[in-house]
Amino acid sequence: MLQSRGKLIVLAASTSESTEYQRSTWRQMLLATLPDKYARIMGTDWSTAVEVNPDGTAKYVPNGLRVIEALLARRFGEENVAVCYPDQLPLFVGEDTRVIGVHAHNPLGITFATDVYAGFYGRDCEPINAAEFRRLIHHPVIDQHRHHLKLIVGGPGAWQIAHKGLQAEWKIDTIVDGEAEEVAVDLFERAIRGEPLPARIECKSPKLESIPAGINRSTFGVVEITRGCGRGCQFCSVALRAGKSIPLEHILENVRRAVAQGADTITLCTEDLFLYEQGKRFTTNLPALKRLFESVAAVPGVKHIMMTHGTMAPVVVQPEIVEELHLAVDKSVNQHPASTHPEHRYAMMFVGLETGSVRLFKQFMKGKSYPFRPEQWPDVVLKGMEIMNRANWFPMCTFIIGLPGETREDTKQSLDLLFALKDAKWCVIPTLFVPLEDTKLATKDGAKIARLTDLQWEFFFTCWRYNIDFFRRQRSVHWKFNIGIPIYYYLLGRKLFGPAMKWPLFRLAHFPEWILRRKLYLDFSNGAKPVYTTPAEVPIPEERRRPELPVLS
Ligand code: B12
Ligand code: SF4
C-alpha cells in the first residue's frame, strides 16, 4: 500500500556510478570514459549491472549517498526513506513523495580523464556516466510527480551540472556542493514543507561528530577512514576539506554492516592512507594503520581489502610502511604474474604524481612532497615506486597534462620522469587538467584534447603503451590492436585531432623504435639512458626532520 503512494524521501544514484561489476574499481572508472554510443559493440553494457533487494531498494550505492540516507533516516525514520536505482524509481516515487535526492559522482563526465576518451570516438560521443545520469534525471516518473516534489542533487560531481548551465533545464531545485552532513536535514525538512529552496548551497566541512555511521552498504564496501587532506594542491577539490580520522569503532561498525549485507570486499576510503591518525606534520602513524588493517581483516566475512588514495612521500620517509601493511597485499582482489606474492596478489592504491616538472610542482602542489623539497620530487617518485614495487604494491598513478602555463620544457621533464619509470610495476593514467569549481585554479582554462602538442600526445600515449605492455595477457588481442591503431588514425584520429598525435599514437601500436626515435622525444631503443635514475636514498632536509616517529607496538 505504502509503495503505491510512494515514500516521503527517495534517494537515487545512477547504475554506472553504483555498479561493482567484477569487484573492479578499474572497470567502474572506465564508465567515466567509454562512449555510451558504442557500449553494446564494445561489450561494456555491464555498466548497468547492479543488484536489487527483494523490496526494490538498491543493494549498494556510492558511499556519499549512504551518508545522506543515514542522516535522513535518523530524522524522518527509516520507513520514510528509500534508496534505489533509476529502474526502480516507479516503485518508490508516488503521491506521498516530497523530495528526491540524487547523487552525482561524475554526472556529465567532464572531470579529469573522462570526456577525453569518449572524444576519441567522435565529437558527439558522451561517456557512459553522462548517459546513465541523464537516464536517471529524466526518468518519466519524476516528471509525472514534479508538481508535488523537490529535486535535490548533491555529490562530488554536482558542480558539473551548474557548470554546464543545465540546472534549470533539468528542473533541479537545489544543487548541494561539498560535504552535506550539517545542511542535509534542514534542507530536506524545508523541501518536505514545500518551501522555496536556494538554487545552490555551498557546505562547510562538518565536525567529526556530525558524520553518521551508515545503515546500508555502499558500492565496493567503501568505508571512510579519513576525510580531507592538508597538503593543499591547488587543482584539487578535496584539498579544502578539513582533515580528520574516523574513529576505529565507527569504521568497524560500517565494515560489520557492509559484510552483514553481503559485501566480502571492503574499500578503505581516504585522500591519503598515510594520514590515518597521523602525527604532527603528516607523520605516518604506522601502529594505528596496522591496527586498522588487522581489525578490518579480522571482521568475519571480510575476504578482501582495497584502498583508494595515498601519497609517495611517506613511503620514502618510512620504507617499512608498505612491508608492515602486508595485509594490503594478502587481502587484495588484484593479481598479476609480476607479483612475487605466493598468490601473485598486489596492492593497488591511487597515487597522484601529476607532473615531472619541478617548476609546476612548486607552483601548484608543493605540499605533496613534504617533508621533501619540491626539487626532490622526481627522486621521491622513483624511490617511492621502487619501495612499493618491492613490497608488491603496484600503484595506479595519475599525471595531469596541460596544467596552467605548462611549457614544452615542463612536458619534457614529465616525459623524462616517465621514461625513468619504464620498467616499474604500475598503471599510469594521463589526465587532462580540468579547473574544478571550489579549487584555487577554478578560473583557469582547462586543457583541451584538440589542442595537445606533439609532446603532450607523446606523454599521453607513452603512458598507455606502458599499461598495455604491463597488463596485456593475450598476444592475439595485442596484434589486432597494433594493426587497428594506424587504421583508426587514418580514418578518424587525423581528422579529429590533427597530425600531432600521429607518431605518439604509433608508439602505442608498437611501431619499430628505429622509426620512432627520429620522430619522438623519448628514445626507447636499446642503450638509451633516462635523465633520471632511482637514487640510493632521498635525504630529508635537516630543518624538516621530525623529532619522533610513532613506534611499532
Ligand atoms: C571511492 C571513490 C571512487 C570509487 C567508487 C566510486 C563509486 N561510484 O562508488 C572509484 C575508484 C570506482 C571511483 C571512480 C571515479 N571517481 Co571517485 N572517488 C572516490 C573517493 C575516493 C571517495 C568517495 C567517498 O565516499 N567520499 C566520502 C563521501 C562522504 O563524500 P562524498 O561522496 O563527496 O559525499 C558527500 C557530499 O558529496 C554530499 N553528497 C553526496 N551525495 C549526495 C546526495 C545528495 C542528495 C546530497 C544533498 C548530498 C550528497 O554529502 C556527502 C557527505 O558529506 C572520492 C574522493 C573523496 N575522498 O571524496 C573520489 C572522487 C569523488 N572521484 C572522483 C572522480 C573524478 C572519479 C572518476 C571520474 C575517476 C576517473 N577519471 O575515472 C571515476 C568515476 C566512476 C563512476 N563510474 O562514476 C573525483 C570527483 C571530482 C569532481 N569533483 O568532479 C573525486 C573527488 C576524487 C578527486 N579528488 O578527484 N571513485
Ligand atoms: S595530496 Fe591529493 S588529496 Fe591532498 S590536496 Fe593534493 S591532490 Fe588533493
Side-chain angles (χ1 to χ4, degrees):
M1 178 63 191
L2 181 65
Q3 279 198 357
S4 61
R5 294 198 54 88
K7 293 271 185 181
L8 181 67
I9 298 171
V10 179
L11 301 176
S14 77
T15 46
S16 73
E17 292 185 1
S18 304
T19 179
E20 24 177 69
Y21 182 72
Q22 292 193 351
R23 281 205 214 90
S24 168
T25 46
W26 165 234
R27 278 194 173 72
Q28 202 207 86
M29 287 171 79
L30 285 179
L31 301 178
T33 62
L34 291 172
D36 175 64
K37 202 168 158 187
Y38 302 116
R40 222 168 250 163
I41 305 170
M42 296 173 81
T44 50
D45 39 358
W46 48 262
S47 58
T48 49
V50 285
E51 293 170 72
V52 179
N53 290 316
D55 66 355
T57 55
K59 213 164 210 170
Y60 36 76
V61 290
N63 173 48
L65 193 61
R66 287 303 190 197
V67 172
I68 301 299
E69 175 193 21
L71 292 164
L72 298 177
R74 198 159 66 188
R75 168 67 186 85
F76 301 102
E78 275 185 51
E79 67 288 1
N80 288 317
V81 183
V83 180
C84 68
Y85 308 120
D87 287 347
Q88 286 68 39
L89 278 171
L91 288 178
F92 301 107
V93 178
E95 290 310 314
D96 289 348
T97 306
R98 290 293 167 268
V99 51
I100 299 181
V102 172
H103 173 86
H105 203 96
N106 183 35
L108 293 166
I110 55 171
T111 188
F112 303 123
T114 54
D115 56 343
V116 176
Y117 294 93
F120 280 117
Y121 298 87
R123 287 191 218 287
D124 57 339
C125 280
E126 62 175 0
I128 292 174
N129 262 178
E132 284 300 307
F133 190 83
R134 219 178 277 271
R135 199 162 72 82
L136 162 56
I137 210 82
H138 289 318
H139 197 292
V141 81
I142 302 184
D143 267 351
Q144 189 190 330
H145 291 276
R146 201 65 196 78
H147 57 286
H148 61 80
L149 57 78
K150 304 274 186 201
L151 184 57
I152 298 175
V153 179
W159 65 272
Q160 297 178 10
I161 298 167
H163 182 82
K164 285 273 176 180
L166 289 168
Q167 181 170 3
E169 191 186 324
W170 288 2
K171 300 188 193 130
I172 296 169
D173 294 282
T174 305
I175 287 181
V176 179
D177 291 310
E179 299 158 274
E181 277 84 354
E182 290 171 359
V183 307
V185 169
D186 178 58
L187 179 68
F188 277 69
E189 265 174 354
R190 287 158 67 192
I192 289 166
R193 288 197 298 265
E195 293 172 13
L197 302 182
R200 203 132 179 221
I201 297 184
E202 305 281 340
C203 311
K204 291 203 185 81
S205 268
K207 292 192 282 298
L208 182 62
E209 316 79 82
S210 305
I211 302 176
I215 325 174
N216 287 307
R217 166 182 164 193
S218 26
T219 300
F220 295 123
V222 166
V223 168
E224 271 190 287
I225 61 165
T226 70
R227 196 179 284 188
C229 164
R231 291 188 186 264
C233 303
Q234 295 185 19
F235 51 82
C236 172
S237 59
V238 285
L240 303 173
R241 292 186 170 189
K244 44 182 91 68
S245 292
I246 311 292
L248 184 59
E249 201 29 57
H250 182 142
I251 295 172
L252 293 176
E253 201 181 323
N254 281 336
V255 172
R256 286 187 214 109
R257 194 165 286 124
V259 174
Q261 294 184 15
D264 65 0
T265 302
I266 294 299
T267 304
L268 302 179
C269 164
T270 169
E271 279 334 309
D272 182 353
L273 180 74
F274 308 116
L275 294 183
Y276 175 70
E277 299 285 3
Q278 60 175 307
K280 278 189 193 141
R281 287 179 284 153
F282 305 119
T283 309
T284 305
N285 189 339
L286 185 50
L289 269 173
K290 282 190 71 170
R291 192 164 50 239
L292 170 71
F293 272 83
E294 285 161 8
S295 312
V296 172
V299 172
V302 172
K303 223 165 125 191
H304 298 291
I305 301 179
M306 300 202 286
M307 301 177 289
T308 59
H309 298 76
T311 41
M312 273 302 191
V315 175
V316 182
V317 175
Q318 258 182 295
E320 69 276 18
I321 298 180
V322 285
E323 299 282 353
E324 293 285 345
L325 297 182
H326 59 85
L327 279 172
V329 181
D330 299 340
K331 292 278 172 189
S332 174
V333 176
N334 304 305
Q335 290 171 291
H336 191 287
S339 163
T340 56
H341 182 270
E343 292 165 4
H344 297 294
R345 296 195 182 277
Y346 69 92
M348 200 277 283
M349 182 169 77
F350 299 101
V351 181
L353 302 183
E354 323 304 12
T355 182
S357 156
V358 167
R359 186 186 77 84
L360 291 176
F361 187 87
K362 236 183 197 164
Q363 194 176 348
F364 298 125
M365 56 195 106
K366 59 176 186 267
K368 224 184 226 301
S369 62
Y370 191 88
F372 301 100
R373 290 180 184 290
E375 293 77 6
Q376 295 173 289
W377 183 236
D379 284 349
V380 170
V381 171
L382 291 171
K383 194 70 196 167
M385 186 66 78
E386 181 190 78
I387 296 165
M388 281 195 181
N389 282 180
R390 208 168 39 219
N392 289 320
W393 286 49
F394 302 173
M396 183 181 280
C397 301
T398 48
F399 274 87
I400 305 178
I401 298 176
L403 278 163
E406 179 178 316
T407 62
R408 289 182 72 77
E409 197 42 48
D410 294 317
T411 318
K412 282 182 185 171
Q413 286 178 21
S414 288
L415 279 161
D416 288 334
L417 182 59
L418 191 64
F419 192 26
L421 289 161
K422 187 165 183 292
D423 298 317
K425 299 173 190 175
W426 65 326
C427 177
V428 51
I429 311 288
T431 70
L432 261 60
F433 169 68
V434 177
L436 298 182
E437 276 195 18
D438 298 333
T439 65
K440 291 201 180 132
L441 300 182
T443 56
K444 301 286 181 194
D445 286 337
K448 297 279 174 301
I449 191 145
R451 282 195 237 132
L452 292 189
T453 64
D454 52 345
L455 287 172
Q456 289 172 325
W457 277 120
E458 181 172 347
F459 189 89
F460 190 91
F461 286 122
T462 305
C463 292
W464 286 109
R465 165 73 187 269
Y466 285 6
N467 295 336
I468 283 172
D469 289 352
F470 187 60
F471 287 100
R472 128 193 85 135
R473 300 281 160 97
Q474 290 169 24
R475 281 202 90 74
S476 56
V477 176
H478 184 51
W479 281 111
K480 280 182 211 156
F481 180 80
N482 285 351
I483 293 165
I485 282 185
I487 298 174
Y488 165 81
Y489 175 72
Y490 286 109
L491 288 183
L492 190 62
R494 185 169 55 162
K495 276 189 221 118
L496 290 176
F497 306 109
M501 84 178 321
K502 177 177 169 182
W503 295 107
L505 186 63
F506 288 4
R507 170 164 281 155
L508 186 68
H510 297 79
F511 261 49
E513 278 305 314
W514 61 266
I515 303 178
L516 295 179
R517 62 188 297 191
R518 284 181 279 139
K519 309 284 183 189
L520 296 173
Y521 174 71
L522 293 182
D523 178 357
F524 277 10
S525 50
N526 285 343
K529 292 266 179 293
V531 173
Y532 298 112
T533 48
T534 309
E537 68 166 322
V538 190
I540 301 175
E542 193 56 45
E543 72 285 5
R544 295 177 172 207
R545 282 184 189 277
R546 291 120 204 240
E548 84 303 332
L549 285 173
V551 208
L552 268 181
S553 47

